[in-house]
Amino acid sequence: MGLAGLFGKWGLCPECRQRGAKVFMGQVKCPNMSCKKYDSQLVPPVEVLSNPKEEYHRKSGFIGRDFHPGFNSLTIKYRNYLGVDRSYEVDKTTLIAKSEYVSAQAVPTGKRISFKKRFIKNLSEVEGCVNSQIEAQLESQRKEILVTIEYRNFKGKDLELIGDANTIKPDGERISIIIKKSGTRFYLKKKNIQNLGEIERYIAG
């Protein structure tokens, strides 16, 4: 057994991928103060902390070499498997989240690559984009359901308001709905809706 095996091995922390971690007898000591494996007594050698050279390999199946998402660009700040912090530019409209991973098509090839969530530095921003994409997809899939509300206003005048039933929300003794003509949300008293029975099935809650 060499000295490296006798006193432990230097490498990447399995928790945070910080270089300069030490593994000995199954125990991990990490120099990263924000890591749960942090050890204040650990002093890694300078050569252990130096950046390793990253190798890039050409792989088949690339869409091209000029892929760029334009206004849909999102930067993912990520610590890769070599413990190197890198920024990846991706198309946020292609984001897919599954369990512990997020994947997207990346610049410059358009190839889809996966990122482990625990090593994404700006995870909240990325997850926000994922949620926005899901909401946009649901919105596009939802069909507009037009309903006519017969309403008597405070002046006693009878009105016919046409809106999207999908936008109806309860609000105590009132409901709100987005009216198609103006595109704005109206708040209506239930007691003044003449055909309330017809639209009650669209009122959630």
Side-chain angles (χ1 to χ4, degrees), residues 147-151 157-162 179:
V147 292
T148 299
I149 297 179
E150 298 172 5
Y151 190 73
K157 184 178 179 180
D158 291 331
L159 306 173
E160 285 192 352
L161 304 173
I162 300 176
I179 301 302

Side-chain angles (χ1 to χ4, degrees), residues 104-135:
Q105 288 179 251
V107 172
T109 64
K111 177 180 170 63
R112 179 171 291 278
I113 57 178
S114 296
F115 306 89
K116 201 166 186 177
K117 289 181 180 179
R118 63 189 291 192
F119 300 120
I120 298 177
K121 303 297 183 180
N122 58 333
L123 182 59
S124 59
E125 179 184 4
V126 174
E127 288 186 326
C129 287
V130 171
N131 292 334
S132 295
Q133 294 306 315
I134 293 174
E135 291 175 5

Side-chain angles (χ1 to χ4, degrees), residues 83-111:
V84 178
D85 291 331
R86 289 193 60 201
S87 293
Y88 297 81
E89 187 177 0
V90 304
D91 183 347
K92 64 183 179 182
T93 65
T94 66
L95 283 167
I96 296 176
K98 291 184 178 180
S99 185
E100 300 178 359
Y101 292 86
V102 169
S103 70
Q105 288 179 251
V107 172
T109 64
K111 177 180 170 63

Side-chain angles (χ1 to χ4, degrees), residues 5 8-9 14 22-29 37:
K9 293 183 179 180
K22 193 171 189 179
V23 181
F24 179 63
M25 300 293 288
Q27 299 297 314
V28 178
K29 296 182 179 181
K37 300 292 185 180

